[in-house]
């Protein structure tokens, strides 16, 4: 079980980093330029900014590249849990599609949240926690199908779906405490 959790976090790390990085570094001009949709509600809202998207993507990409670079040194320490062949099986495409997909998933969720009448920052359980997982997987599935299928077994997918909301709530609570998030979700 612990082996699956370690591998799940390792595989998801570039996507996991993207969201809190966007929250820490975001701000400024909103992606929707402040415009409303046909329903007279904001297209995305002030919580989705260009800087957040770019900074979050870059942080995720940097972490993914670091993982690729460090994998050969880290693999021996994790050998008891994860076979080294798995950790060192890298994809330069996934390093890009995991974080970028995560933030696109977050944007798509905000679009639908606004359509449903939820204000920026309003809680939408599960959608708030799994939006970026869905986005990361979708983009990676499309652009590096072979890597996705080789790494995301059904067991890993289930572990990710279970641990992500827990990790997300924990990081958001920290973000709330240090004053980077207005609400703890
Ligand atoms: N953020 C950003 N740009 C992004 C994504 C996030 O600037 N592309 C920042 C915003 O400051 C946002 C914070 O990260 O408020 C937290 O992100 P999230 O919880 O996804 O946004 P919410 O403010 O909750 O907005 P929404 O209701 O649309 O999810
Ligand atoms: Mg939110």
């Amino acid at each position: 079980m612990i082996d699956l959790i370690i591998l799940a976090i390792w595989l998801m790390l570039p996507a996991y980093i993207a969201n809190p990085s966007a929250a820490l570094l975001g701000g400024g001009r909103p992606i929707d330029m402040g415009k409303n949709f046909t329903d007279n509600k904001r297209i995305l809202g002030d919580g989705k900014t260009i800087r957040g998207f770019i900074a979050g993507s870059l942080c995720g990409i940097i972490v993914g590249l670091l993982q690729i670079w460090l994998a050969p040194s880290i693999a021996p320490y994790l050998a008891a849990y994860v076979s080294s062949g798995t950790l060192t099986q890298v994809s330069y495409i996934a390093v890009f599609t995991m974080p970028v997909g995560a933030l696109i998933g977050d944007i798509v969720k905000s679009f639908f949240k606004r359509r449903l009448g939820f204000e920026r920052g309003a809680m939408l359980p599960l959608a708030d926690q799994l939006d970026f997982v869905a986005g990361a997987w979708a983009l990676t599935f499309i652009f590096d199908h072979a890597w996705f299928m080789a790494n995301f077994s059904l067991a890993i997918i289930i572990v990710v779906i279970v641990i992500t909301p827990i990790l997300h709530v924990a990081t958001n609570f920290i973000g709330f405490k240090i004053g980077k998030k207005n609400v703890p979700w």
Side-chain angles (χ1 to χ4, degrees):
M1 191 65 189
I2 187 80
D3 53 336
L4 285 177
I5 294 174
I6 290 174
L7 184 55
I9 293 174
W10 176 268
L11 291 170
M12 292 302 293
L13 204 58
Y16 283 164
I17 292 295
N19 251 36
S21 307
L24 282 175
L25 304 170
R29 193 185 283 266
I31 294 170
D32 66 8
M33 302 288 175
K35 290 192 168 42
N36 285 350
F37 195 61
T38 51
D39 55 10
N40 288 325
K41 295 186 180 91
R42 284 289 294 276
I43 302 175
L44 302 173
D46 285 332
K48 305 297 120 151
T49 66
I50 296 170
R51 195 168 79 212
F53 184 77
I54 294 173
S57 299
L58 285 177
C59 287
I61 292 167
I62 290 168
V63 166
L65 291 174
L66 278 175
Q67 283 179 277
I68 290 181
W69 185 53
L70 291 173
S73 336
I74 291 177
Y77 297 99
L78 295 178
Y81 307 105
V82 186
S83 85
S84 67
T86 317
L87 287 194
T88 50
Q89 184 189 24
V90 300
S91 160
Y92 285 97
I93 298 172
V95 160
F96 181 84
T97 56
M98 292 293 285
V100 173
L103 291 171
I104 292 175
D106 180 52
I107 289 169
V108 171
K109 174 214 60 187
S110 288
F111 176 79
F112 287 109
K113 250 173 118 172
R114 299 299 91 82
R115 304 292 71 74
L116 292 168
F118 289 90
E119 298 292 332
R120 174 223 175 150
M123 182 171 60
L124 188 57
L126 290 183
D128 277 330
Q129 283 89 45
L130 293 173
D131 55 355
F132 69 96
V133 172
W137 284 348
L139 215 65
T140 306
F141 183 85
I142 294 169
F143 289 102
D144 197 346
H145 192 254
W147 185 85
F148 183 90
M149 296 309 279
N151 287 282
F152 287 100
S153 62
L154 183 61
I156 287 287
I157 286 176
I158 292 170
V159 168
V160 170
I161 289 172
V162 172
I163 65 171
T164 300
I166 301 168
L167 291 171
H168 194 263
V169 168
T171 47
N172 280 353
F173 190 71
I174 295 168
F176 173 65
K177 281 286 175 197
I178 62 171
K180 281 290 169 187
K181 273 195 66 96
N182 301 331
V183 287
W185 51 78

